[in-house]
Amino acid sequence: MYGFINTCLKSLVVEKYGEDIWEKLRVQTGVQDTFLTFKVYRDDITMQLIDQACKMLDVPPDMVLKQFGEYFFEFCKRSGYDHMLRTLGGNLYEFIENLDALHSYLSLSYQEMNAPSFRVEKNEDGSMHLHYYSDRRGLCHIVPGRLLRGFDAVYPKTLWIDPKTFCNGLPFHIVFDEELRVKQAGVSIQKIVPGLQTWGIRLDQYFCIVRPEVKFTISSVQKFINSQFVFRTKREMMPQSWKQRPMLELRGQMIWMESVQCMLYLCSPLLRTLHELEERHMHIADIAPHDVTRDLILLNQQRLAEMELSNQLERKKEELRILSKHLEEEKKKTEALLYAMLPKHVANQLKEGKRVEAGEFKECTILFSDVVTFTNICAQCEPIQIVLMLNAMYLRFDRLTTVHDVYKVETIGDAYMVVGGVPVPVSTHAERVANFALGMIIAAKDIKNPVSGNPIQIRVGIHTGPVLAGVVGEKMPRYCLFGDTVNIASRMESHGVPSKIHLSASVHQ
């Protein structure tokens, strides 16, 4: 089926049940999210979607198919086929009669379309009996109709046209009797199928019926007389020059002539493009000037070019959607990295190109920590061992900053600096930093000294006071703190005791 059908099914699910249901349905069936309109997809994709929808929504299959049939008609109208559907017939009978003609026209655009066939019979009580023929089951359409008043035609007593003019004016027509014997044929079809120049030969010797799928008998043809008939020439009966060419197909209508007990097949060559015309060594001149097939071939050539452009645009649109999705994911990763380096509101201001003004905080709590005998450890270990030790320790400390909601300012070597109450002022800054310090002491016990194999020891110093905070630099900008509070906190750490927290009086208060 074409992507148009699957797009309709997706639209139905989204409109009636929501995006979440469609996403679950799509994931469970393992199909893509979007479908290209003019691309052919396997039939089982559509059937899997319908079967899974029945299970997920706990709705019987006939109900889902009925909803799809009703919605499909509306979806076609919204997709630009509304004028075509409105003008198809003046009442329900005429509408259904011309559905096959509509499908035949659409096959110019959807060349691999396997459309159903419709036949309607009027009953004596005024009701109608609809015959629906399809290789697929269950996809039926609900079509409205309204009655229009009819009129009575006036016919001449004598037909004012001679046989030669008729055969030249209608170059593609065949008249045959109840035994399928050819009585008359147009000049162009005689040129292509020379056997038709022998009156009385049987039509089924040279042609087979492609659509509708019926036996080639006069009674079968009469039953489907309101349908469009597609004939195809038989290769074994064609001239030698046609043996390597694609067979010619004719499309037209059947008209029963009661007075002469013969059937008139008014047809045109079923050709879609100039390429198909060239493959059969035919020319535009072979088709009658009044036959719209000439215009359709030329128009469809342009339409095919437009369709190819449309397909390219749809593919590019899908590629852009995927790229946009990936770009959004990468943007989130970049923002997460940026927010890890700078406060969120500061990072947002820098992204917008604004200048970040320095701000004064009247009260905050600053923490410094370092590893005891770090210089000695470095002298006795390989650089990679130091990097692994510091990374394991800082990963634990970083997690604690999230738990206690404090801001990590920077790390220099083995020194780790944290502040509470900056950049977002809070009244509990001292309590948060103190709890963070306790967590650091405990976490450090899990880190082994690469020299002795014993747990490392850290010193922690904390001080509370005012600071000035701002962004420094353009390349690799850092959010830095300035003031005596920073210096005092650093001294508290350097004069501390291993595995202890050294508090200033201001923090204690």
Side-chain angles (χ1 to χ4, degrees):
M1 295 186 187
Y2 277 90
F4 184 81
I5 301 294
N6 294 332
T7 302
C8 172
L9 184 56
K10 173 187 174 181
S11 181
L12 168 64
V13 174
V14 170
E15 281 192 22
K16 289 189 175 292
Y17 303 102
E19 285 277 1
D20 294 340
I21 295 296
W22 165 252
E23 186 61 23
K24 291 179 182 177
L25 180 61
R26 183 188 70 80
V27 171
Q28 291 184 11
T29 52
V31 302
Q32 62 266 49
D33 185 47
T34 56
F35 301 92
L36 300 180
T37 302
F38 295 104
K39 181 178 177 181
V40 180
Y41 296 87
R42 302 190 318 273
D43 286 1
D44 60 338
I45 292 178
T46 309
M47 302 315 297
Q48 284 175 13
L49 287 170
I50 293 175
D51 291 341
Q52 195 60 42
C54 294
K55 297 175 183 176
M56 185 180 297
L57 302 173
D58 194 22
V59 177
D62 57 342
M63 184 65 69
V64 172
L65 293 173
K66 181 180 179 182
Q67 287 184 357
F68 178 78
E70 293 172 351
Y71 186 82
F72 181 73
F73 189 78
E74 295 298 324
F75 186 77
C76 289
K77 288 164 60 179
R78 287 192 317 213
S79 300
Y81 297 100
D82 52 333
H83 295 297
M84 190 182 298
L85 292 171
R86 287 196 194 100
T87 57
L88 203 58
N91 52 54
L92 182 59
Y93 180 79
E94 293 176 357
F95 181 91
I96 299 174
E97 259 192 339
N98 287 281
L99 277 177
D100 283 8
L102 173 62
H103 288 145
S104 180
Y105 168 76
L106 291 177
S107 66
L108 295 173
S109 300
Y110 302 90
Q111 295 188 10
E112 297 184 45
M113 180 173 67
N114 184 14
S117 179
F118 296 86
R119 182 169 67 89
V120 63
E121 293 179 356
K122 284 186 177 180
N123 300 322
E124 293 181 359
D125 59 358
S127 62
M128 289 180 291
H129 190 187
L130 175 65
H131 298 266
Y132 175 79
Y133 305 89
S134 175
D135 294 339
R136 309 179 185 95
R137 296 181 179 180
L139 297 180
C140 56
H141 307 272
I142 300 176
V143 289
R146 58 188 182 88
L147 297 175
L148 297 177
R149 67 180 183 85
F151 71 97
D152 296 326
V154 176
Y155 301 99
K157 294 182 179 179
T158 304
L159 191 62
W160 296 91
I161 187 170
D162 62 90
K164 184 177 179 180
T165 303
F166 189 89
C167 290
N168 283 305
L170 298 174
F172 287 92
H173 81 275
I174 304 172
V175 176
F176 56 95
D177 60 15
E178 294 176 316
E179 296 179 355
L180 304 182
R181 299 192 180 280
V182 177
K183 299 295 184 181
Q184 180 179 315
V187 293
S188 291
I189 200 169
Q190 291 181 37
K191 176 182 175 183
I192 298 170
V193 188
L196 296 181
Q197 293 182 313
T198 304
W199 307 133
I201 57 102
R202 286 181 60 87
L203 187 61
D204 56 352
Q205 288 181 315
Y206 289 86
F207 292 93
C208 61
I209 298 178
V210 179
R211 286 179 63 91
E213 296 182 6
V214 296
K215 291 182 179 180
F216 206 153
T217 63
I218 198 70
S219 59
S220 297
V221 171
Q222 286 178 328
K223 287 180 180 178
F224 287 83
I225 199 165
N226 293 319
S227 301
Q228 279 202 337
F229 278 77
V230 177
F231 281 11
R232 181 187 295 141
T233 54
K234 293 183 177 180
R235 189 174 298 276
E236 64 272 15
M237 301 301 292
M238 295 295 287
Q240 190 64 34
S241 59
W242 271 81
K243 295 296 183 181
Q244 304 303 320
R245 304 178 196 171
M247 289 296 97
L248 175 67
E249 290 188 350
L250 303 173
R251 179 182 63 193
Q253 69 174 117
M254 294 290 182
I255 301 175
W256 176 248
M257 298 180 289
E258 185 66 33
S259 59
V260 292
Q261 292 292 297
C262 285
M263 187 73 73
L264 169 62
Y265 181 41
L266 283 175
C267 57
S268 299
L270 183 55
L271 301 170
R272 300 180 180 89
T273 63
L274 292 174
H275 177 68
E276 292 181 359
L277 193 71
E278 290 176 337
E279 282 184 325
R280 292 158 179 79
H281 293 209
M282 293 177 63
H283 306 88
I284 292 289
D286 293 330
I287 306 171
H290 61 79
D291 194 336
V292 294
T293 303
R294 294 163 65 113
D295 299 324
L296 284 176
I297 291 173
L298 297 174
L299 288 173
N300 197 49
Q301 191 70 25
Q302 179 183 357
R303 182 174 175 81
L304 289 174
E306 293 173 352
M307 281 175 54
E308 179 58 30
L309 180 60
S310 176
N311 283 334
Q312 291 178 10
L313 289 174
E314 283 196 48
R315 286 192 291 269
K316 291 297 181 185
K317 179 181 176 182
E318 180 64 13
E319 290 173 7
L320 286 174
R321 187 188 70 82
I322 295 173
L323 286 175
S324 178
K325 184 178 179 181
H326 291 166
L327 180 62
E328 190 64 28
E329 292 173 355
E330 294 301 322
K331 181 183 176 183
K332 290 179 180 178
K333 293 178 184 178
T334 304
E335 288 180 346
L337 182 61
L338 184 60
Y339 294 154
M341 298 170 61
L342 294 168
K344 189 171 183 178
H345 73 282
V346 172
N348 289 335
Q349 284 181 289
L350 291 175
K351 283 198 303 181
E352 294 170 3
K354 297 179 181 179
R355 182 179 177 183
V356 181
E357 299 290 342
E360 184 178 354
F361 295 83
K362 294 182 179 180
E363 192 176 69
C364 69
T365 300
I366 298 176
L367 175 148
F368 278 93
S369 75
D370 73 346
V371 178
V372 178
T373 67
F374 182 70
T375 304
N376 296 333
I377 294 173
C378 290
Q380 300 177 52
C381 293
E382 294 292 330
I384 188 62
Q385 292 178 296
I386 303 300
V387 171
L388 293 174
M389 180 192 74
L390 291 178
N391 184 57
M393 181 176 67
Y394 288 163
L395 284 176
R396 287 168 170 78
F397 291 175
D398 290 345
R399 294 190 191 101
L400 290 173
T401 61
T402 304
V403 173
H404 298 287
D405 197 14
V406 293
Y407 179 68
K408 174 185 175 182
V409 180
E410 62 181 348
T411 57
I412 303 175
D414 64 325
Y416 195 91
M417 182 181 178
V418 165
V419 64
V422 176
V424 180
V426 290
S427 60
T428 58
H429 53 84
E431 181 182 346
R432 294 184 183 188
V433 174
N435 287 329
F436 174 77
L438 291 171
M440 292 178 77
I441 298 295
I442 297 171
K445 294 178 180 179
D446 295 332
I447 308 302
K448 302 297 182 182
N449 185 326
V451 177
S452 64
N454 298 322
I456 63 171
Q457 291 181 309
I458 63 171
R459 284 189 295 263
V460 180
I462 306 175
H463 179 63
T464 297
V467 295
L468 185 71
V471 177
V472 177
E474 290 184 352
K475 291 187 177 180
M476 293 189 67
R478 299 299 302 174
Y479 189 71
C480 298
L481 306 181
F482 303 93
D484 288 339
T485 304
V486 179
N487 296 328
I488 295 172
S490 180
R491 299 295 177 272
M492 296 297 293
E493 175 268 319
S494 61
H495 291 79
V497 178
S499 298
K500 301 293 183 182
I501 302 170
H502 195 188
L503 302 177
S504 67
S506 60
V507 178
H508 184 266
Q509 291 174 359

